[in-house]
Amino acid sequence: MNKESIYGLTMEQLTAWLAQYGHKKFRAAQVWDWLYRKRVTNFSEMSDVNQDCIELLAEHFAIRTMAEHVKQESADGTIKFLFKLQDGNLIETVLMRHKYGLSVCVTTQVGCNIGCSFCASGLLAKSRDLTSGEIVEQIMQVQLHLDEAKQDEKVSHVVVMGIGEPFDNFNNLVDFLNVIKDHKGLAIGPRRITVSTSGLADKIYEFTDMNLQVNLAISLHAPNNELRTRIMKINRAIPIEKLMQAIQYYLDKTKRRVTLEYILLKDVNDRKEHALELVDLIRDMRDLASVNLIPYNPVDEHSQYQRSEPQSVREFYDILKQHGINSSVRLEHGTDIDAACGQLRSKQIRVS
C-alpha cells in the first residue's frame, strides 16, 4: 500500500498529528529539522528522535514517494526532471539558474483541464490533483540533487507554473506554500514565491483574503474576450471583466504588484492594436501591474501557432512602455530540452 508523503504536513499539522499519539511539541520540531534542514531520506537517520516516534512515522508516512524517471540538462544550466509518482503518473519539475538565485517551477496536477489552445501541458486531460506532499517533494528532490553536487547551493525561489491550474488544487496549494515558507524549514521567503493562475476569479478573492504574502501572476494572453475565448476556453466561464474585477480586489487589498503573463503568438495576439487594447485594459492598475511578455515555445501538436517575430516583440514592448506600462520580455531557459511546460511528459508518454 502506498504511504502518504510526510512532506504533506505543515508544522502545525505535524505537531497535532504527533500529539494524538502522545508526543510533545518539541518532537515535531525535531522531525521538522531533520526533514528540511538536514534533509534525511530515511526516518531511521533521525538520530535524536526516539524509536517509538520513528516507527510511528515510518508506519504511516514515506519521505520519498516519487522517483526520477528522466532528467534533461540544458546548456544554460536549466534541468528538467520527469518524476514518476507512486501510481505511475508522470510530472515535470524544472530547475532554472538566474543571476538572483536558483528557481524551481513546480507542477500541481497530473494533466490540466483549463484547455489553453497553445499549451503543451494541456494536451493530456487532468487525471488528479497532486497532494501537498507531492508538490513539496518536487522542491525536496531538486534540493537533494543540489546537495549531492556539494556546491552549497540552495533553492531560493519557487514559481508555481508547471502542469495544471494551481487554484484548481487550492487547499493542497496553500499547505504547500505554508510548508516551504516556514522559517524553521526551507525558509523560502514569500516574496520569492510566485503562483500563476489562468484566472479562477473566486479563488483570487480567497487567495487575497488569506494574506499569504506570496506573489500572484495571471495568465492573460489576450486583451479582449473574443480573442481570449478563442485561445483560452476558461474565458467562456470567466470573462475578462470578471477576472479584472478580481485582480483589482487583490491590488486594492494587498497593495502588492501583480504580473500579467502574455504569450506572444505570431499574427494572433501580437499586433499593434492588441498592444493598445492591452494598455486600455490595464491603464487604471498600471501602478501595481506589470506585463511579462513571453516568447512562445512551439509545440508539434499546436502547429497553428508560431513564435512572434523579434520586431513584433519589440514593437509590442515599446507600445506598453510608451504608455507607462511596466513590462519585460521573459528570458528563455532550457530551449534545447523541450522547454514548453508539459512537452517532456507528453513526449515520454508517447514513447512509452
Side-chain angles (χ1 to χ4, degrees):
M1 186 179 73
N2 294 333
K3 295 178 183 177
E4 182 182 346
S5 171
I6 187 69
Y7 296 128
L9 298 179
T10 65
M11 181 59 172
E12 291 74 17
Q13 291 166 347
L14 177 61
T15 302
W17 189 86
L18 286 173
Q20 294 177 9
Y21 295 90
H23 293 282
K24 296 187 182 299
K25 188 174 182 178
F26 79 88
R27 190 67 72 199
Q30 287 178 316
V31 172
W32 194 262
D33 186 69
W34 281 107
L35 289 173
Y36 296 107
R37 292 293 178 90
K38 299 183 177 71
R39 296 191 281 277
V40 298
T41 57
N42 194 301
F43 291 115
S44 63
E45 298 176 65
M46 299 179 176
S47 58
D48 62 353
V49 178
N50 67 28
Q51 191 62 29
D52 287 346
C53 184
I54 287 175
E55 291 176 0
L56 179 68
L57 292 170
E59 179 185 353
H60 289 87
F61 299 103
I63 294 181
R64 283 196 167 183
T65 66
M66 59 180 69
E68 185 181 299
H69 189 64
V70 174
K71 181 173 68 178
Q72 293 180 320
E73 297 193 38
S74 168
D76 66 14
T78 299
I79 302 177
K80 178 176 277 192
F81 299 87
L82 190 68
F83 293 119
K84 178 174 280 189
L85 307 178
Q86 291 183 111
D87 61 5
N89 277 303
L90 300 172
I91 61 168
E92 287 180 8
T93 307
V94 181
L95 169 66
M96 295 166 286
R97 294 182 178 275
H98 305 274
K99 292 180 179 179
Y100 55 75
L102 300 180
S103 175
V104 174
C105 178
V106 299
T107 284
T108 55
Q109 296 179 315
V110 178
C112 183
N113 281 344
I114 297 301
C116 300
S117 63
F118 49 81
C119 180
S121 68
L123 291 171
L124 296 163
K126 170 189 165 183
S127 59
R128 71 172 177 88
D129 292 326
L130 293 189
T131 66
S132 54
E134 289 171 326
I135 309 174
V136 174
E137 190 174 342
Q138 294 172 65
I139 304 291
M140 298 306 299
Q141 290 268 14
V142 173
Q143 184 58 58
L144 288 168
H145 166 83
L146 294 171
D147 292 345
E148 289 168 4
K150 299 186 184 303
Q151 295 182 355
D152 196 28
E153 293 183 309
K154 186 176 182 297
V155 174
S156 60
H157 293 70
V158 172
V159 289
V160 189
M161 297 182 183
I163 298 169
E165 164 53 62
F167 280 1
D168 189 36
N169 188 13
F170 194 80
N171 292 336
N172 287 324
L173 169 71
V174 171
D175 281 348
F176 158 75
L177 294 172
N178 285 327
V179 168
I180 67 170
K181 288 193 307 173
D182 191 281
H183 69 283
K184 292 183 178 179
L186 291 174
I188 299 175
R191 296 180 185 276
R192 295 183 172 187
I193 303 170
T194 301
V195 176
S196 176
T197 175
S198 60
L200 303 189
D202 59 332
K203 293 302 181 183
I204 293 175
Y205 287 106
E206 189 173 349
F207 179 82
T208 301
D209 291 340
M210 294 186 77
N211 194 30
L212 295 168
Q213 299 292 309
V214 305
N215 302 312
L216 178 65
I218 308 292
S219 295
L220 186 61
H221 307 314
N224 62 63
N225 280 320
E226 185 277 326
L227 180 54
R228 193 166 192 263
T229 298
R230 178 150 50 102
I231 64 176
M232 298 178 70
K233 69 179 184 181
I234 190 175
N235 201 73
R236 299 171 193 163
I238 307 171
I240 282 182
E241 295 81 10
K242 189 174 181 180
L243 173 59
M244 299 308 288
Q245 288 173 0
I247 295 171
Q248 191 62 60
Y249 179 81
Y250 172 85
L251 297 176
D252 290 343
K253 186 159 186 178
T254 68
K255 302 298 188 289
R256 294 175 60 81
R257 299 192 68 84
V258 68
T259 299
L260 304 175
E261 299 166 319
Y262 197 103
I263 287 181
L264 290 164
L265 305 170
K266 184 179 179 180
D267 297 328
V268 176
N269 65 351
D270 65 345
R271 298 171 183 164
K272 178 180 179 181
E273 57 264 34
H274 298 134
L276 291 171
E277 240 183 314
L278 182 58
V279 169
D280 288 338
L281 180 68
I282 64 175
R283 188 186 303 275
D284 292 342
M285 57 178 66
R286 60 186 171 185
D287 289 343
L288 286 174
S290 60
V291 176
N292 190 9
L293 300 174
I294 305 171
Y296 176 61
N297 289 311
V299 180
D300 292 343
E301 294 85 350
H302 297 318
S303 58
Q304 73 271 33
Y305 296 124
Q306 288 84 43
R307 173 174 292 209
S308 295
E309 299 292 341
Q311 182 177 350
S312 298
V313 176
R314 285 194 299 271
E315 290 175 351
F316 203 103
Y317 172 83
D318 288 342
I319 289 171
L320 297 182
K321 295 295 283 188
Q322 289 163 9
H323 288 82
I325 305 296
N326 185 35
S327 57
S328 60
V329 178
R330 179 178 292 179
L331 293 175
E332 297 182 75
H333 294 272
T335 53
D336 55 338
I337 55 167
D338 303 314
C341 176
Q343 273 188 306
L344 179 58
R345 174 174 176 265
S346 59
K347 287 183 179 181
Q348 186 65 31
I349 288 175
R350 288 201 300 274
V351 169
S352 299

